[in-house]
Amino acid sequence: MGSFSIWHWLIVLVIVMMVFGTKKLRNIGSDLGGAVKGFKDGMKEGAADDKPAAPQQTAGQPPRELHDSTTIDVEAREKSKQG
């Protein structure tokens, strides 16, 4: 009783097609496909932009540290002012 047979899924599919119609379902499918494609393209662009640049080093100076101890977390600062 826990699993559905193929007949259950066919009945559900027929009911959905009767309620929404095939044209509306086709439009929903193409919209969903376009959204997924746009999301994948955005993820590819975001991954290319997220690559960290190598820290620039000038001659005669020690390399700069990546973690700066003077950085203040703005969200924590705003929360402490509110509460």
Side-chain angles (χ1 to χ4, degrees):
M1 223 167 127
S3 65
F4 293 105
S5 70
I6 188 70
W7 295 109
H8 290 105
W9 291 114
L10 287 175
I11 291 170
V12 169
L13 180 64
V14 168
I15 292 172
V16 168
M17 285 179 25
M18 286 175 27
V19 170
F20 293 108
T22 56
K23 190 172 187 177
K24 185 124 182 160
L25 289 175
R26 191 176 325 132
N27 290 340
I28 291 171
S30 64
D31 290 343
L32 183 63
V36 169
K37 185 177 184 226
F39 178 76
K40 286 182 180 179
D41 291 342
M43 291 299 290
K44 286 179 184 177
E45 289 176 7
D49 293 343
D50 288 343
K51 291 182 182 177
Q56 295 180 354
Q57 186 175 1
T58 57
Q61 291 184 350
R64 294 176 19 202
E65 292 185 24
L66 294 178
H67 179 71
D68 187 7
S69 62
T70 60
T71 303
I72 298 173
D73 187 8
V74 176
E75 290 181 16
R77 188 176 195 184
E78 289 175 359
K79 288 180 183 177
S80 65
K81 284 181 182 180
Q82 292 174 357

